[in-house]
Short mmCIF file of all heavy atoms in Angstrom, two decimals:
data_model
loop_
_atom_site.label_atom_id
_atom_site.label_comp_id
_atom_site.label_asym_id
_atom_site.label_seq_id
_atom_site.Cartn_x
_atom_site.Cartn_y
_atom_site.Cartn_z
N GLY A 33 -3.14 5.07 -5.64
CA GLY A 33 -3.76 5.83 -6.70
C GLY A 33 -5.19 6.25 -6.45
O GLY A 33 -5.76 7.02 -7.22
N ALA A 34 -5.80 5.77 -5.35
CA ALA A 34 -7.18 6.13 -5.04
C ALA A 34 -7.18 7.19 -3.94
O ALA A 34 -6.59 6.99 -2.87
CB ALA A 34 -7.96 4.90 -4.57
N GLU A 35 -7.85 8.30 -4.21
CA GLU A 35 -7.91 9.38 -3.23
C GLU A 35 -8.64 8.93 -1.97
O GLU A 35 -9.74 8.39 -2.03
CB GLU A 35 -8.64 10.59 -3.84
CG GLU A 35 -8.71 11.77 -2.91
CD GLU A 35 -9.37 12.98 -3.54
OE1 GLU A 35 -9.14 13.26 -4.74
OE2 GLU A 35 -10.12 13.66 -2.82
N ILE A 36 -8.00 9.18 -0.80
CA ILE A 36 -8.63 8.82 0.47
C ILE A 36 -8.86 10.06 1.35
O ILE A 36 -9.61 9.98 2.32
CB ILE A 36 -7.83 7.76 1.25
CG1 ILE A 36 -6.42 8.26 1.57
CG2 ILE A 36 -7.80 6.44 0.48
CD1 ILE A 36 -5.63 7.35 2.49
N SER A 37 -8.23 11.17 0.99
CA SER A 37 -8.40 12.38 1.79
C SER A 37 -8.07 13.60 0.93
O SER A 37 -7.20 13.55 0.06
CB SER A 37 -7.47 12.34 3.01
OG SER A 37 -7.52 13.55 3.72
N ARG A 38 -8.79 14.69 1.22
CA ARG A 38 -8.52 15.96 0.53
C ARG A 38 -8.80 17.07 1.54
O ARG A 38 -9.85 17.10 2.17
CB ARG A 38 -9.42 16.12 -0.69
CG ARG A 38 -9.20 17.43 -1.44
CD ARG A 38 -10.11 17.52 -2.65
NE ARG A 38 -9.69 16.56 -3.67
CZ ARG A 38 -9.13 16.89 -4.83
NH1 ARG A 38 -8.95 18.15 -5.14
NH2 ARG A 38 -8.79 15.96 -5.70
N SER A 39 -7.84 17.98 1.69
CA SER A 39 -8.05 19.14 2.55
C SER A 39 -7.62 20.39 1.79
O SER A 39 -6.90 20.31 0.78
CB SER A 39 -7.27 19.00 3.86
OG SER A 39 -5.88 18.90 3.61
N PHE A 40 -8.07 21.55 2.27
CA PHE A 40 -7.85 22.79 1.54
C PHE A 40 -7.18 23.85 2.41
O PHE A 40 -7.39 23.91 3.62
CB PHE A 40 -9.18 23.35 1.03
CG PHE A 40 -9.92 22.42 0.12
CD1 PHE A 40 -11.00 21.69 0.58
CD2 PHE A 40 -9.53 22.25 -1.20
CE1 PHE A 40 -11.69 20.82 -0.24
CE2 PHE A 40 -10.20 21.39 -2.04
CZ PHE A 40 -11.28 20.67 -1.56
N HIS A 41 -6.41 24.69 1.75
CA HIS A 41 -5.81 25.88 2.37
C HIS A 41 -6.04 27.02 1.39
O HIS A 41 -5.91 26.85 0.18
CB HIS A 41 -4.30 25.68 2.60
CG HIS A 41 -3.60 26.93 3.00
ND1 HIS A 41 -3.66 27.43 4.28
CD2 HIS A 41 -2.86 27.80 2.29
CE1 HIS A 41 -2.97 28.56 4.33
NE2 HIS A 41 -2.47 28.80 3.13
N ARG A 42 -6.40 28.19 1.92
CA ARG A 42 -6.61 29.37 1.07
C ARG A 42 -5.70 30.49 1.52
O ARG A 42 -5.42 30.63 2.70
CB ARG A 42 -8.04 29.88 1.18
CG ARG A 42 -9.06 29.08 0.44
CD ARG A 42 -10.43 29.78 0.55
NE ARG A 42 -11.45 29.03 -0.11
CZ ARG A 42 -11.80 29.21 -1.38
NH1 ARG A 42 -11.23 30.12 -2.12
NH2 ARG A 42 -12.75 28.47 -1.92
N HIS A 43 -5.28 31.29 0.56
CA HIS A 43 -4.63 32.56 0.89
C HIS A 43 -5.06 33.60 -0.14
O HIS A 43 -5.45 33.27 -1.25
CB HIS A 43 -3.11 32.43 1.01
CG HIS A 43 -2.39 32.12 -0.26
ND1 HIS A 43 -2.30 30.86 -0.79
CD2 HIS A 43 -1.70 32.93 -1.10
CE1 HIS A 43 -1.59 30.89 -1.90
NE2 HIS A 43 -1.20 32.14 -2.12
N VAL A 44 -5.02 34.86 0.30
CA VAL A 44 -5.48 35.97 -0.53
C VAL A 44 -4.32 36.93 -0.75
O VAL A 44 -3.58 37.25 0.18
CB VAL A 44 -6.66 36.71 0.16
CG1 VAL A 44 -7.11 37.89 -0.69
CG2 VAL A 44 -7.81 35.75 0.41
N LEU A 45 -4.20 37.39 -1.98
CA LEU A 45 -3.16 38.35 -2.35
C LEU A 45 -3.80 39.68 -2.72
O LEU A 45 -4.75 39.72 -3.49
CB LEU A 45 -2.35 37.82 -3.54
CG LEU A 45 -1.65 36.49 -3.31
CD1 LEU A 45 -1.20 35.90 -4.63
CD2 LEU A 45 -0.47 36.67 -2.38
N SER A 46 -3.26 40.76 -2.17
CA SER A 46 -3.67 42.11 -2.53
C SER A 46 -2.61 42.71 -3.43
O SER A 46 -1.43 42.34 -3.35
CB SER A 46 -3.82 42.98 -1.27
OG SER A 46 -4.78 42.43 -0.41
N CYS A 47 -2.99 43.68 -4.23
CA CYS A 47 -2.07 44.22 -5.24
C CYS A 47 -0.93 45.04 -4.66
O CYS A 47 0.12 45.18 -5.27
CB CYS A 47 -2.83 45.04 -6.27
SG CYS A 47 -3.71 46.45 -5.57
N SER A 48 -1.12 45.61 -3.46
CA SER A 48 -0.11 46.48 -2.87
C SER A 48 0.02 46.20 -1.38
O SER A 48 -0.92 45.75 -0.74
CB SER A 48 -0.48 47.96 -3.05
OG SER A 48 -0.54 48.30 -4.41
#
Side-chain angles (χ1 to χ4, degrees):
E35 182 177 321
I36 60 172
S37 174
R38 179 179 290 250
S39 61
F40 301 102
H41 170 78
R42 284 185 181 268
H43 67 280
V44 178
L45 301 165
S46 300
C47 60
S48 298

